Amino acid sequence: RLHLVTWNVGTASPPPDVTSLLQLNSLGPTMDMYVIGLQEVNSRITNFLSDLAFDDPWSIFFMTVLSPLGYIKLSSVRMQGLLLLIFVKHIHLPFIRGIHTHYTRTGLYGYWGNKGGVSIRMSLYGHTICFMNCHLPAHMENTEQRLDDFEKILEMQFEGENIPSPLDHDVLFWFGDLNFRIADYGIHFVRESINNNRYNLLWEKDQLNMAKKTEAFLKEFREGPLQFKPTYKFDLYSDVYDTSEKKRKPAWTDRILWRVKNLCQNASKEDEFSEEEQTISVTLNNYVSHMSYGISDHKPVTGTFGLELKPLVSDPLVMLSPKGEWSAEHDVIIRYSAVPEFPSSAWDWIGLFKVTFRHVNDYVTYAWVEDDEISSNKDSKEVYMSAAEIPTIGGEFLLCYYSNNLQSIVGISEPFQIQPSRSSTEKNLTQGENSWMQKPDNLESHDES
């Protein structure tokens, strides 16, 4: 289950709550992957330079929301105001490989990154998937420029990197502020149709729908029905369309489309095609806008998808587990084994992570698989971690094997407990006694805070 968000945030800071945006209150099964594409993230030069060195506020915000729920930031890519983030559940990490990111500038003749596209591609259980977040040129009259820019982005992503082009992936998701407008109809007819919930009257004059009928490279892209209000342009913190002097005509600028390669190839074969040959299918379960978010003049749009995969990869490259009981009282041992074809490297490492870790560099400590090896046989190897590096307070942790050659986590252990050390337990008991003795004096100040 994949939940995809596109939102032009208009340089605003994150809102206080994204529960409904991420469908965190949904009664159904939880999502396996979140893909979040933002446009117009605050990209003033000072912000951009500091964001290159550190995670930007939006990345930190989504990590803070999703990491306690068992998702880690798999990858991200930023180009000025364009940001693409992917979060996945721990369980899928060993089956995601070949992660690469890319960006293409199209603003100011390709020299400026205020417009363009950013992509993250990967192999998921052996199937190639590409996610592409775009911000295309604005204004009613620039339809051709939008189409030209998208074609250019498709051609330039991963060019010269020995990686398939976006259209050669098994599944391509294309989304963002695509800036297509509603042609021909006047503002009064458009607003009246919206007020009467008669969105279907506007579909045939939507520039993207029109282009899909005439442009060969767009015909294979699919989109859910636009059964929500056009998502642009609103007065801030309201669901009222633009009341400024410009009075922009409402439009479905914010879109999510997808393309399944096998279906495209087999469509022409007709009779030869059978269901059994289809190893991956994409089902759109929900395509909606979220009117309650008012921090920008665009409303966010989400698509919830079911990806049905016939796994081409079903075993992790590395299996690993903690050996014996772990605590900071003594050095600890990790046992692991790799499949014969695994391309190991002297730079591979095993990290100890809290179960709520945010991303691959969010480890508590790590061991080099070669330098810290203590035993090896044909079935498995053992690596040690120093007692000094183990958290004394204990808790629930995971071990992850990071492959330098593959630039990703290729093995993950089951969650396990690290026992608190005796000194830590005694210290906590002492603090507990002290706090119990002090409690009557502090009760009032606690209530005030």
Side-chain angles (χ1 to χ4, degrees):
R1 285 170 58 82
L2 181 154
H3 190 70
L4 201 153
V5 177
T6 179
W7 193 3
N8 182 323
V9 296
T11 73
S13 298
D17 184 75
V18 284
T19 301
S20 64
L21 184 72
L22 301 180
Q23 293 193 352
L24 299 178
N25 283 343
S26 169
L27 296 174
T30 57
M31 300 300 161
D32 295 287
M33 181 181 288
Y34 283 97
V35 178
I36 300 165
L38 306 179
Q39 307 86 40
E40 290 193 31
V41 171
N42 193 339
S43 58
R44 291 196 300 265
I45 293 298
T46 50
N47 287 70
F48 185 54
L49 293 176
S50 67
D51 290 350
L52 285 176
F54 311 99
D55 275 312
D56 65 279
W58 280 93
S59 297
I60 292 167
F61 171 73
F62 281 114
M63 281 191 283
T64 303
V65 171
L66 289 170
S67 66
L69 305 176
Y71 299 89
I72 84 150
K73 188 181 82 171
L74 178 76
S75 185
S76 66
V77 57
R78 170 99 190 257
M79 180 184 76
Q80 267 170 253
L82 273 170
L83 176 64
L84 177 56
L85 302 161
I86 296 183
F87 294 86
V88 296
K89 281 202 155 172
H90 299 153
I91 191 173
H92 302 298
L93 285 174
F95 307 101
I96 299 174
R97 300 171 195 172
I99 303 162
H100 289 86
T101 64
H102 200 98
Y103 62 84
T104 300
R105 300 185 183 97
T106 58
L108 201 65
Y109 310 104
Y111 289 102
W112 189 238
N114 64 324
K115 296 287 191 292
V118 294
S119 296
I120 298 174
R121 63 85 58 194
M122 67 189 71
S123 161
L124 176 66
Y125 290 92
H127 299 271
T128 55
I129 299 186
C130 183
F131 298 95
M132 183 184 291
N133 173 23
C134 293
H135 193 182
L136 301 181
H139 306 306
M140 179 68 71
E141 67 276 10
N142 284 333
T143 308
E144 288 305 315
Q145 186 66 52
R146 286 189 270 281
L147 295 171
D148 288 349
D149 280 10
F150 179 51
E151 210 164 4
K152 179 183 173 185
I153 291 165
L154 282 173
E155 288 169 5
M156 294 184 69
Q157 294 284 291
F158 310 116
E159 194 177 36
E161 288 191 45
N162 201 23
I163 294 169
S165 77
L167 292 175
D168 283 328
H169 283 69
D170 295 330
V171 182
L172 168 61
F173 287 92
W174 171 41
F175 48 94
D177 179 358
L178 307 184
N179 253 322
F180 290 101
R181 308 303 169 103
I182 297 168
D184 300 343
Y185 297 141
I187 189 169
H188 295 295
F189 178 77
V190 171
R191 288 194 173 188
E192 199 59 30
S193 302
I194 295 167
N195 290 340
N196 293 319
N197 294 328
R198 300 190 69 185
Y199 310 130
N200 57 313
L201 298 179
L202 308 175
W203 291 345
E204 65 179 24
K205 293 299 182 182
D206 171 79
Q207 291 174 336
L208 180 53
N209 284 342
M210 292 160 74
K212 281 173 68 184
K213 292 173 184 170
T214 57
E215 300 290 336
F217 75 102
L218 288 182
K219 285 182 180 175
E220 294 163 348
F221 281 94
R222 301 181 64 190
E223 183 181 17
L226 296 167
Q227 291 176 337
F228 49 86
K229 282 185 175 186
T231 51
Y232 173 84
K233 172 183 174 133
F234 289 90
D235 291 345
L236 292 183
Y237 298 103
S238 80
D239 52 10
V240 175
Y241 284 107
D242 188 15
T243 58
S244 71
E245 284 179 27
K246 291 181 179 175
K247 284 203 167 49
R248 294 268 187 231
K249 188 162 62 168
W252 285 290
T253 54
D254 310 280
R255 311 286 278 271
I256 300 171
L257 296 92
W258 74 97
R259 178 185 182 274
V260 181
K261 186 179 161 196
N262 310 26
L263 290 180
C264 307
Q265 291 173 339
N266 287 309
S268 56
K269 298 183 186 176
E270 290 180 16
D271 297 338
E272 298 173 36
F273 176 58
S274 74
E275 278 295 315
E276 288 174 20
E277 292 173 44
Q278 189 63 29
T279 58
I280 182 167
S281 66
V282 178
T283 307
L284 177 67
N285 298 326
N286 202 4
Y287 188 36
V288 294
S289 66
H290 296 260
M291 294 295 289
S292 62
Y293 294 93
I295 59 173
S296 88
D297 53 4
H298 291 251
K299 300 297 181 186
V301 170
T302 61
T304 307
F305 295 88
L307 264 63
E308 203 164 320
L309 308 167
K310 188 176 184 178
L312 305 175
V313 170
S314 52
D315 294 316
L317 293 171
V318 173
M319 301 279 286
L320 72 166
S321 60
K323 186 178 176 183
E325 188 175 275
W326 277 38
S327 80
E329 304 287 334
H330 51 78
D331 291 351
V332 292
I333 296 170
I334 302 156
R335 180 180 286 154
Y336 76 92
S337 60
V339 298
E341 67 272 19
F342 174 61
S344 64
S345 153
W347 297 104
D348 290 358
W349 51 274
I350 295 172
L352 176 67
F353 294 84
K354 292 181 177 176
V355 287
T356 55
F357 73 112
R358 296 176 169 210
H359 50 77
V360 72
N361 293 325
D362 194 18
Y363 49 79
V364 176
T365 184
Y366 64 89
W368 294 107
V369 295
E370 285 200 7
D371 289 357
D372 299 320
E373 186 178 296
I374 53 172
S375 77
S376 173
N377 60 46
K378 65 181 176 61
D379 294 323
S380 67
K381 298 186 177 188
E382 292 185 349
V383 170
Y384 88 99
M385 276 182 180
S386 163
E389 305 294 330
I390 304 303
T392 57
I393 58 171
E396 195 174 21
F397 291 83
L398 292 161
L399 293 166
C400 295
Y401 186 112
Y402 184 84
S403 162
N404 186 63
N405 286 332
L406 300 178
Q407 295 285 297
S408 62
I409 289 171
V410 295
I412 187 165
S413 75
E414 292 289 325
F416 65 97
Q417 290 291 328
I418 293 180
Q419 301 304 317
S421 63
R422 282 193 295 273
S423 56
S424 169
T425 310
E426 286 162 10
K427 186 178 172 187
N428 285 344
L429 282 171
T430 309
Q431 286 176 340
E433 286 169 11
N434 290 342
S435 63
W436 180 80
M437 291 167 72
Q438 294 165 0
K439 204 166 188 180
D441 298 333
N442 292 342
L443 203 56
E444 204 170 310
S445 61
H446 278 308
D447 287 346
E448 283 175 1
S449 65

